[in-house]
Every structure is written in C-alpha cells, then in structure tokens.
Amino acid sequence: MAKKKLKIAVLFGGKSAEHEVSLRSAENVINALNKNKYEVILIGINKAGQWILGDKGGKLLDKTNPKLYKLNTVNSDSVALVPQGSGAISNLSNVNSKNYIDVIFPVLHGPFGEDGTVQGMFKLANIPFVGASVLGSAVGMNKDTMKRLLRDADIPICKFITLKHGEKISFKKAKKKLGIPFFIKPANMGSSVGINKVKNKKDFDKAIEEAFKFDTKILIEEFINGREIECSVLGNENPIASVPGEVIVNDEFYSYNTKYIDENGATLEIPANLSQKTIKKIQQLSVKTFKVLNCEGFGRVDGFLTKNGKFYISEINTIPGFTSISMYPKLWEANGLPLPKLLDKLISLAIERFKREQKLKTSI
Ligand SMILES: Nc1ncnc2c1ncn2[C@@H]1O[C@H](COP(=O)(O)OP(=O)(O)O)[C@@H](O)[C@H]1O
Ligand SMILES: [Mg+2]
C-alpha cells in the first residue's frame, strides 16, 4: 500500500515589501518538493494580507461557582480570526474542516512572515512549521535586538546607534561616534529595502527619512569594510554550518537593485575562496549566532570579513531566500545536499520540534 503523502502547505507572497522575492523563492521550493512524498497545498497571501488557496463568543465563562472559573464550551461555536479581516472572526462550527494540513512551510520574507507574527498563528493553530519559532523569528528580524543579543554573547558586530520614531541625532554626532561613511537602515526589513550608505550631511536627512518609511525604529551603523561572506545553518538543537559563500558586489553596496535587478550587480562565489582556518571560524560563529538568536530549522548568517581576518556578524535571515540563484540552497548543494533533500530535512526538523514541544507539560 502506498504511504500516505504528507500535506505540505506552502505559504508565500505576504504583506511585506519583499512580496515579490517571496514569490520567486516559493516557485523554486514548490518545484523542488518531492511530489511522491508530499501533497503540496499552495496558499498565497496578497499585499492586502488576504490568504488565498491556490489551484484548486457566546456564553463562555461558567460563573456558577465564583471560586472556580472554567470554560463552558457546551453549545459554543468555534471561531477563527480572519487574517487581515480588521478584527473579523469566522464561525467555524458549520464549516467543513476536513482539509487538514500536516506541515506549513512559510516561504515569506520580511515583516508579517519572518518576524514571528505568522509563526504565532501557526503555534496557536497547533501545527508543525518550518523554521524559527516566534522568538527566533522576532529577534532575527529586528536588527537592533539581534545585535544586542550578539554583543552580549561576545560575537563581533559593528558599532551602531538606534533611533526610535521621534528621536533625532545630528550628522556631526553620528559621524563622531561611527566615522564616515555609515549605513542607515530600518530595524525590521530585508532585501536591502530602505537602506542607504551615507557619506555626507546632504545624504543624511534623506536616508533617515527613507528608513523611517519602512519602520518606526532605525539603525545607523558603522561601515565595515570587508568581503561579504554568508553561511547556511541547518538544524534544531545541534545545527550544522555549510561551507561559506561570498557575494562579490560590483556596486557601492549590496542594494535591492544589485540583489534582484541588475544581473551584473553581484556574483556569488561558492564556496568562498578562504583558508581552512577562516572557514572554521566563520562556521563556528555562524552556528553560535544561530543558537544565541533562538533559531531553528534554517537560517543564513551573513557577515563581513575584514583584511586583518576579523569576521563581523551582520545579520541572520530566518527565512533565507530560496530563489534559483539564492545562496542558502546553493551552499547546501555545494555540501552535497540538493534542494529536494534539503526540503525533506527541513520538513522533518519541523515535525521533530513539534513532537518535542507536544510532550511539554501544560498542567501542574
Ligand atoms: N554596517 C555595514 N557595513 C558595510 N556594509 C553594510 C553594512 N550594513 C549594510 N551593508 C550593506 O548593505 C547590504 C544590506 O544590509 P543588511 O543589513 O544585510 O540588510 P538586509 O536585511 O536588507 O539584507 C549588505 O549586504 C551590505 O552590502
Ligand atoms: Mg542582508
């Protein structure tokens, strides 16, 4: 008898400015999922936040004994929060809910997908899902909080200043603290959206304004002059690191345009041309970063390698790009793990974590 196929829901698109990148990543993931093992269910999220299935109240508190509050679920309807329904709830009691899914694979980038919000929904829905959970996702998305945790763990990072909405700093002060040039970026974004390299006062105000368009918190970062090295990490409690790869940027920096539009903007060197000693150091720091930031499943750790051999961690991506030219899957391929096998591993890690968490006591 044929084994029952696991139903994998691939979630893609989303409300963030990285919607389009997610579509490209998802296409690649969907194509590579082994159809002999999985039934793939497509759920697209449009820019308004509505979930679209691809191809195909009441008296709840029982107060009869005031000392013993308990839920009275008799004759109560089951409801679900409607995503982006401005607080709308849907009555599920009359809905046919047989269409269960086994695992969710979020292929979403940026806010609402990579920041713990949708992960919280998965947890509430009690379903295994690929990648970091609520905390790891939230921390990994927030460059301010992420950098503070890394600093606490003695992981080398650049100097930075954080500004919250309404807070200001003069160009002179920023220059004094960080030197020139420096980078201005939203705390919660990705794909280089809203990021500018600032060299003079003229660019400064514009860059601050631009970053605040995408988030209520922004970072001003010291410029680290180094090679851009990325490392793929995979696993739950005992994660492993791939060989590092290098992004050779033929531009001022690795901007949105360089990443996705200009074909000659950057080239990937896989594996990066590095000494064994440096590879080891980068792998160790990448795994440490992944653990410190509470990540699970997958994560791509990016950093800068300076001329004197120091490796600064720049950031982690808790749902790394999965397009056909993306570094995360390409690095694993270079390690002998082709994309379909990598996806198998990610799905089994999701199930393994779920089973482990199901065993936790919920009463005393
Ligand atoms: N502190 C920095 N020093 C040097 N280059 C930087 C720095 N911060 C950002 N950059 C450049 O901008 C790119 C995008 O910044 P990053 O922080 O990785 O944001 P994102 O999450 O959008 O990818 C980097 O790949 C690098 O080219
Ligand atoms: Mg980056």
Side-chain angles (χ1 to χ4, degrees), residues 143 158 183 185 189-193 195 221-224 228 253-254 259 304 314-315:
K143 292 186 166 75
C158 64
F183 277 82
K185 56 179 81 169
M189 258 328 292
S191 292
S192 302
V193 173
I195 300 188
E221 284 184 12
E222 165 198 20
F223 168 60
I224 304 293
E228 297 207 28
F253 72 98
Y254 201 21
K259 281 179 183 172
F304 303 111
S314 171
E315 62 157 345

Side-chain angles (χ1 to χ4, degrees), residues 162-232:
T162 308
L163 292 184
K164 289 193 189 134
H165 180 73
E167 292 176 350
K168 283 196 169 71
I169 190 168
S170 69
F171 174 72
K172 210 172 140 196
K173 257 197 174 157
K175 183 176 161 186
K176 192 166 173 228
K177 178 147 189 222
L178 308 172
I180 209 88
F182 49 70
F183 277 82
I184 299 189
K185 56 179 81 169
N188 284 284
M189 258 328 292
S191 292
S192 302
V193 173
I195 300 188
N196 281 287
K197 187 174 183 177
V198 171
K199 296 178 178 168
N200 51 48
K201 185 163 168 13
K202 200 174 111 253
D203 301 337
F204 182 69
D205 295 334
K206 263 202 329 224
I208 297 256
E209 196 185 319
E210 174 76 1
F212 269 130
K213 281 185 192 161
F214 294 94
D215 199 0
T216 54
K217 190 156 87 167
I218 67 167
L219 272 75
I220 311 177
E221 284 184 12
E222 165 198 20
F223 168 60
I224 304 293
N225 190 4
R227 291 164 68 185
E228 297 207 28
I229 307 288
E230 305 186 346
C231 191
S232 295

Side-chain angles (χ1 to χ4, degrees), residues 143-319:
K143 292 186 166 75
D144 175 54
T145 309
M146 167 167 61
K147 287 198 156 76
R148 289 170 199 274
L149 290 182
L150 294 178
R151 194 164 57 191
D152 181 73
D154 290 329
I155 292 172
I157 56 154
C158 64
K159 282 190 251 170
F160 68 100
I161 298 165
T162 308
L163 292 184
K164 289 193 189 134
H165 180 73
E167 292 176 350
K168 283 196 169 71
I169 190 168
S170 69
F171 174 72
K172 210 172 140 196
K173 257 197 174 157
K175 183 176 161 186
K176 192 166 173 228
K177 178 147 189 222
L178 308 172
I180 209 88
F182 49 70
F183 277 82
I184 299 189
K185 56 179 81 169
N188 284 284
M189 258 328 292
S191 292
S192 302
V193 173
I195 300 188
N196 281 287
K197 187 174 183 177
V198 171
K199 296 178 178 168
N200 51 48
K201 185 163 168 13
K202 200 174 111 253
D203 301 337
F204 182 69
D205 295 334
K206 263 202 329 224
I208 297 256
E209 196 185 319
E210 174 76 1
F212 269 130
K213 281 185 192 161
F214 294 94
D215 199 0
T216 54
K217 190 156 87 167
I218 67 167
L219 272 75
I220 311 177
E221 284 184 12
E222 165 198 20
F223 168 60
I224 304 293
N225 190 4
R227 291 164 68 185
E228 297 207 28
I229 307 288
E230 305 186 346
C231 191
S232 295
V233 182
L234 176 69
N236 287 340
E237 284 116 326
N238 296 304
I240 53 167
S242 70
V243 289
E246 179 168 2
V247 184
I248 299 166
V249 182
N250 311 310
D251 213 335
E252 188 66 41
F253 72 98
Y254 201 21
S255 64
Y256 186 89
N257 193 58
T258 323
K259 281 179 183 172
Y260 305 111
I261 298 174
D262 180 3
E263 277 182 21
N264 306 313
T267 40
L268 305 190
E269 187 146 287
I270 297 170
N273 184 11
L274 301 163
S275 71
Q276 278 309 314
K277 195 172 142 221
T278 308
I279 290 175
K280 209 151 180 216
K281 179 161 87 181
I282 291 170
Q283 287 176 326
Q284 277 170 351
L285 276 171
S286 299
V287 166
K288 188 172 173 189
T289 296
F290 186 90
K291 285 180 161 177
V292 164
L293 298 176
N294 294 276
C295 289
E296 283 173 309
F298 52 10
R300 197 192 71 233
V301 178
D302 300 349
F304 303 111
L305 183 67
T306 64
K307 280 221 167 70
N308 62 16
K310 186 161 176 182
F311 190 62
Y312 288 84
I313 297 294
S314 171
E315 62 157 345
I316 195 162
N317 294 281
T318 55
I319 304 185

